[in-house]
Amino acid sequence: MIRSAARRIMGMVTAILLLSALSGCSRQEPEEKVVIRILYSNNFKRVEELVESVYDDIDLQIEISPYSSEQLRRLDRGVGPELVISPQPDSNLVKKYLLDISDTKASAAYDGTIMNALKLEGKTYLLPLPGVYSGYIVNETLFERAGLAMPANNTELVSALAELKEKGLGLGEDNINFSIMSDYNTSVGMFYVGYMVPDFLGTVEGMKWLADFTDKKAAFTGVWEKSFALSDALVEAGVMDPEAISLQRNSILCHQRLVKGTLAAAFGDSALYYECVADNRKAAEEGTAEAYTYRMYPLLSDEGNEPWFLFSPSALLGVNNAISEEKQNACRRILELLSTPEGQEALQAIDRFYCEGTDESSYDFSVIGTVSRDLLLENFNVRFMETELGNFIADCVAEASGAPIAVVNGGGIRASFYQGVVYGGDIAVVCPFDNQVVVLEMDGQTLWDMLENGLSTCTEEFPGGRFLQVSGLNYIFDSSKPAGNRLVSVTLPDGKALDRNASYQVAVTDYMAGARSYAEGNGDGYTMLNLYDDSVPKGSVTLIKETGLLYRDALALYFERHRDTAVDVQLEGRITDLAQEK
């Protein structure tokens, strides 16, 4: 499984070595200022404040979205942002979507070596944001407690982790003590690149291969297969979970577990290291965790070469070439500001952006249907409110499963549908996870508890993915109330109140029902639906059927059955938050 995941991201290795995917977003434009938009994974607040304090004619708008898999699609549809942020964009896509900014002061503000590496045919399209180091974050205290020296090579690393496991040190409830920082493909790709650095890419032979690869005179075949040796050894030793790496279950919560001492080591970056140090100190002071010391440890050699840290820009910044001249000029001014010491200081908050690459050639462009208008995922809306997109997907699940009620967890929805043609590849991007739809019979009280759990992470800061979009029922809640007491009422489509003693058939996913266990946040806390996890008490539910369908299968079936009708979904008052009406 880990090899399969690794081969999927081998395209990302190319991206890390050369350049990979672009990004975009869309917002309505105010008339009084020039609106410049950015799609990013956090609020970008310091940059926004800096730009708007210096330029009173620019309105910098940031749409928060971690779902980078739809970024290229937005640009391709002409709804991309003015400023494009991406970790390692592909050279062909750079020339297709980005503006030549060689003539800007910003281009001359960076070190010549860095800029030369980013140039394409002598032109500058991208500027680097602040960089981060990548290597291993190691809980040094646990190694000392076990009487283990720090490993000098990869074999010793695997052996040390295995010995720590035998001693019960650095283990979580999943019984593993090593993982990779992120569930995004770039971080996994960095891990495989990192393995090859000390003994190949850092050698004369490796540098020659890289030059030949850049000139399309060399290939990965016969060279990079050895990069899987370390991950295979970690899996065989039982210290790394391959399903978490290959997105078959939730990713390991590296930051939280390193802070609590339930992870002995992780592949990650310097930002993660500093966060762990600071947060463990705070947790130790509060008495919620033991005090630990951590070390940022390099990538190791198996052949006696010097160990290495990887260093790379956290992301690259460019200008959308399809925008107006007025907007282009505004973007140039922003780039020049960000190239100053003040701008670089603001950008230090942005050093953990990693996103998935998009292999354009593998995208399924077969036409499967149409939508009459945009069904948008933006600013986490599927995680705290009724949405047209959520209504549509929930209705598709209900129709495909034959259940009168269907619920769809907002975290399983990762992209938008845009007005016009829908391609086969679109549904895989909108619903990328491989969780099977199952139909359960439950009493009304269990259904109520299920909905209440979905509201438990409904916060303004970063709403959790367990929030439920629904079909076949309506519910009212109050997000201002404490978690566990937010659900106010549940009614059926005919207006009748939910009978807590009656039985209902509901389509959910096997993920919610514990098929991947409830460890590491899997199952999103829906233990009242537990059908599969033997380590958790069974829920008061009965399995009616396993449909064998994924969310995207339900979407495909809907488009097939309604091929001649454009999707036109409305808001219907299925979900109401009283706190938003006060």
Side-chain angles (χ1 to χ4, degrees), residues 116-194:
N116 287 337
L118 295 176
K119 285 184 177 181
L120 294 173
E121 299 175 356
K123 297 179 180 180
T124 299
Y125 295 90
L126 293 155
L127 299 180
L129 298 185
V132 292
Y133 291 91
S134 294
Y136 300 113
I137 295 93
V138 176
N139 186 321
E140 197 170 30
T141 302
L142 297 181
F143 275 72
E144 292 173 352
R145 188 172 297 169
L148 295 172
M150 297 303 293
N153 54 53
N154 290 307
T155 300
E156 291 182 8
L157 173 65
V158 176
S159 296
L161 290 169
E163 188 168 343
L164 285 170
K165 179 176 179 177
E166 287 182 13
K167 296 177 182 292
L169 295 175
L171 292 177
E173 56 188 355
D174 54 4
N175 207 35
I176 63 102
N177 61 9
F178 176 86
S179 192
I180 297 174
M181 177 178 70
S182 174
D183 60 350
Y184 289 119
N185 283 343
T186 304
S187 293
V188 181
M190 290 283 279
F191 174 75
Y192 286 101
V193 170

Side-chain angles (χ1 to χ4, degrees), residues 99-333:
L99 185 71
D100 178 8
I101 54 174
S102 304
D103 60 345
T104 64
K105 294 179 181 178
S107 177
Y110 291 89
D111 177 76
T113 302
I114 296 174
M115 294 312 300
N116 287 337
L118 295 176
K119 285 184 177 181
L120 294 173
E121 299 175 356
K123 297 179 180 180
T124 299
Y125 295 90
L126 293 155
L127 299 180
L129 298 185
V132 292
Y133 291 91
S134 294
Y136 300 113
I137 295 93
V138 176
N139 186 321
E140 197 170 30
T141 302
L142 297 181
F143 275 72
E144 292 173 352
R145 188 172 297 169
L148 295 172
M150 297 303 293
N153 54 53
N154 290 307
T155 300
E156 291 182 8
L157 173 65
V158 176
S159 296
L161 290 169
E163 188 168 343
L164 285 170
K165 179 176 179 177
E166 287 182 13
K167 296 177 182 292
L169 295 175
L171 292 177
E173 56 188 355
D174 54 4
N175 207 35
I176 63 102
N177 61 9
F178 176 86
S179 192
I180 297 174
M181 177 178 70
S182 174
D183 60 350
Y184 289 119
N185 283 343
T186 304
S187 293
V188 181
M190 290 283 279
F191 174 75
Y192 286 101
V193 170
Y195 177 79
M196 296 288 280
V197 165
D199 294 332
F200 180 62
L201 288 179
T203 66
V204 173
E205 177 190 4
M207 294 300 292
K208 181 181 184 304
W209 174 88
L210 182 57
D212 289 342
F213 183 87
T214 304
D215 294 334
K216 299 182 179 180
K217 297 177 182 178
F220 282 107
T221 305
V223 177
W224 279 78
E225 286 81 358
K226 67 180 70 173
S227 68
F228 305 125
L230 178 56
S231 61
D232 286 348
L234 291 165
V235 172
E236 289 169 8
V239 299
M240 185 172 77
D241 179 2
E243 290 191 354
I245 307 303
S246 58
L247 301 183
Q248 297 304 304
R249 52 171 288 167
N250 282 10
S251 58
I252 303 301
L253 305 176
C254 292
H255 171 251
Q256 294 91 325
R257 288 183 57 174
L258 283 167
V259 168
K260 294 179 180 179
T262 57
L263 201 65
F267 176 83
D269 61 27
S270 49
L272 176 62
Y273 166 77
Y274 288 116
E275 286 179 3
C276 288
V277 170
D279 290 349
N280 176 258
R281 183 181 300 117
K282 180 180 178 182
E285 291 172 354
E286 295 173 347
T288 58
E290 183 180 344
Y292 296 109
T293 59
Y294 302 90
R295 181 188 294 192
M296 190 76 192
Y297 207 63
L299 300 155
L300 301 171
S301 168
D302 290 323
E303 299 175 10
N305 295 313
E306 286 293 317
W308 280 57
F309 284 104
L310 290 175
F311 179 79
S312 65
S314 56
L316 301 164
L317 185 64
V319 179
N320 187 338
N321 62 14
I323 60 178
S324 68
E325 185 174 351
E326 179 186 33
K327 287 179 177 286
Q328 288 182 9
N329 290 334
C331 288
R332 290 170 183 267
R333 288 157 59 202

Side-chain angles (χ1 to χ4, degrees), residues 437-456:
V437 175
V438 297
V439 178
L440 304 180
E441 185 166 277
M442 64 188 73
D443 59 28
Q445 182 61 55
T446 299
L447 198 158
W448 180 283
D449 294 341
M450 174 187 72
L451 293 172
E452 186 73 75
N453 179 67
L455 301 171
S456 61

